Amino acid sequence: MTRGDTVWARLYYRNATGEELRSVLTLMGPGGRTVELHCAPAAHDEPNTCETPRVPSSGPPGSAAAVAEFVGAGPVEEAPLLLRAGSERAPDSRG
């Protein structure tokens, strides 16, 4: 998401599994700059959000991307990857 010269990532989710999940929301900007946020979606069916801090944009509009990953419970090295979703860049306005 962007507003003016500020950029951030927001994840909307609903954990209807009844199980503990973990998620990581990563905002990636130009030059390898990243902001990573760990979220712990509660085991209930209520919608919620997770949002990275807002940071100054370090590139042209549309140069940032975000990825959200959800993993199951257990040790990190053994937890199954359940979902990976990424943002899309806006279409080129030049046609």
Side-chain angles (χ1 to χ4, degrees), residues 25-37 52 55 65:
L25 179 57
T26 306
L27 174 64
M28 298 165 287
R33 296 182 56 186
T34 62
V35 176
E36 188 174 275
L37 180 67
T52 64
V55 295

Side-chain angles (χ1 to χ4, degrees), residues 72-85:
V76 172
E77 60 277 355
E78 297 173 16
L81 177 64
L82 303 174
L83 174 71
R84 176 178 291 146

Side-chain angles (χ1 to χ4, degrees), residues 20-57:
E20 175 188 341
L21 297 177
R22 290 188 306 261
S23 68
V24 178
L25 179 57
T26 306
L27 174 64
M28 298 165 287
R33 296 182 56 186
T34 62
V35 176
E36 188 174 275
L37 180 67
H38 296 261
C39 307
H44 58 71
D45 196 22
E46 295 299 317
N48 210 339
T49 61
C50 183
E51 189 171 291
T52 64
R54 296 173 186 215
V55 295
S57 179

